[in-house]
Amino acid sequence: MLKTINPHDGQILAEYKYTTNEELTNIIDNAWAAFERYRDTEAKERTARLLKLADVMEENVDKYAKAIALEMGKPFEESKGEVQKAAKHARYFAENIDTFLRPDDNIKTSFKKSYVEYHPLGPIFFIAPNNFPFWLVCKGAIPAITMGNTIIFKTASSCVQTGQYLEEAFHLAGFNNGEFTNVVTQ
């Protein structure tokens, strides 16, 4: 069992079961299956989900910030800023998705034709640090999911509730079919 502790007063906040190897194998399999479905979703659908993600974060900013503050001892207003920054990041990628997905076929080289295309890779694994447990996951996960990848992330062991809330936000936004999954591992 993993215990999260309030660094301010040493109080145990909660206890969590670790993700088992069997569960992790299933999560990885589900992330690959989700990737096969999600990679071809239209930009319009991804945009809608990203905008919904920003809305969910903004609507729940106090709840999410409270978890960050309790689990890592960050002041509440700074914790709110972390969540608000993540919401702005989601909006930015939603509003610019066409630019990010557009191939660049105007590359000047000595060859007859040179270009860059952008393709999703598959499930991406993130390990969340404890100093910015909400923002730093979003900083990488939002661009990756915008491009059509799926996400598995390991929450910082001191910020498990924050990780669960982050997963909640993505699920409420429509990334709830294996596209975004939180794991609790050692």
Side-chain angles (χ1 to χ4, degrees):
M1 294 293 281
L2 173 65
K3 294 178 183 178
T4 54
I5 299 170
N6 182 327
H8 178 70
D9 62 12
Q11 179 183 350
I12 294 173
L13 298 171
E15 293 185 15
Y16 300 92
K17 290 174 35 179
Y18 287 109
T19 304
T20 66
N21 289 340
E22 183 178 329
E23 290 168 331
L24 190 54
T25 297
N26 289 335
I27 288 167
I28 293 167
D29 290 344
N30 288 340
W32 275 109
F35 169 69
E36 293 302 325
R37 291 185 306 271
Y38 181 67
R39 69 188 298 173
D40 295 322
T41 57
E42 296 292 324
K44 184 177 180 180
E45 181 180 338
R46 292 183 200 175
T47 296
R49 289 185 192 188
L50 289 166
L51 290 172
K52 178 66 174 168
L53 176 62
D55 290 344
V56 169
M57 289 177 179
E58 289 165 350
E59 291 163 7
N60 292 285
V61 66
D62 288 343
K63 174 176 139 178
Y64 298 160
K66 182 178 178 185
I68 295 167
L70 285 174
E71 289 183 323
M72 65 164 299
K74 183 181 278 193
F76 183 72
E77 287 303 314
E78 288 181 26
S79 300
K80 281 178 69 171
E82 183 173 339
V83 176
Q84 291 164 336
K85 186 174 184 178
K88 286 181 181 181
H89 197 57
R91 252 183 234 299
Y92 173 79
F93 275 84
E95 292 166 357
N96 293 283
I97 193 168
D98 290 330
T99 301
F100 298 135
L101 296 176
R102 182 180 317 122
D104 185 352
D105 59 0
N106 194 19
I107 308 281
K108 302 288 186 215
T109 67
S110 61
F111 297 99
K112 192 175 193 177
K113 182 174 183 170
S114 296
Y115 59 94
V116 176
E117 288 186 346
Y118 303 96
H119 299 281
L121 302 171
I124 307 293
F125 185 69
F126 285 92
I127 299 175
N130 70 338
N131 57 338
F132 292 96
F134 209 90
W135 162 240
L136 286 180
V137 172
C138 290
K139 182 179 179 183
I142 289 170
I145 214 162
T146 298
M147 298 308 292
N149 298 292
T150 54
I151 308 298
I152 301 169
F153 80 99
K154 178 205 175 296
T155 205
S157 59
S158 59
C159 301
V160 179
Q161 182 68 69
T162 301
Q164 289 177 339
Y165 282 156
L166 188 53
E167 182 181 56
E168 171 190 89
F170 274 84
H171 286 190
L172 290 171
F175 299 105
N176 57 359
N177 198 16
E179 296 95 348
F180 191 90
T181 307
N182 177 36
V183 296
V184 179
T185 62
Q186 294 181 328

